[in-house]
Amino acid sequence: MATNRTPAGSDGPKSSWPGYIQFLFVVMLTVMFVLLALSMKRHHFLDGVQDNPIQASRD
């Protein structure tokens, strides 16, 4: 018969990173994604407009 080897007070594996570092990392990652989205919008990324190669060669 198998026995439970985890201590009674254990809630699972604990991270070696402090909570405030994890929070700052998530905030930094979120800000980077927002900046990327704004940059993509500013450059009309996935706007659906394709340049005509004939016009591009005349410029």
Side-chain angles (χ1 to χ4, degrees):
M1 182 174 210
T3 59
N4 188 1
R5 295 181 184 201
T6 58
S10 177
D11 290 337
K14 299 291 182 190
S15 174
S16 61
W17 294 86
Y20 69 92
I21 297 291
Q22 293 177 2
F23 175 75
L24 289 176
F25 179 75
V26 169
V27 168
M28 182 183 68
L29 199 61
T30 303
V31 168
M32 288 174 58
F33 276 118
V34 168
L35 291 175
L36 176 64
L38 291 175
S39 174
M40 290 170 69
K41 182 181 177 201
R42 184 175 59 233
H43 291 288
H44 305 288
F45 189 76
L46 294 177
D47 202 13
V49 178
Q50 296 179 353
D51 291 334
N52 189 351
I54 297 172
Q55 283 182 337
S57 64
R58 285 190 222 160
D59 293 338

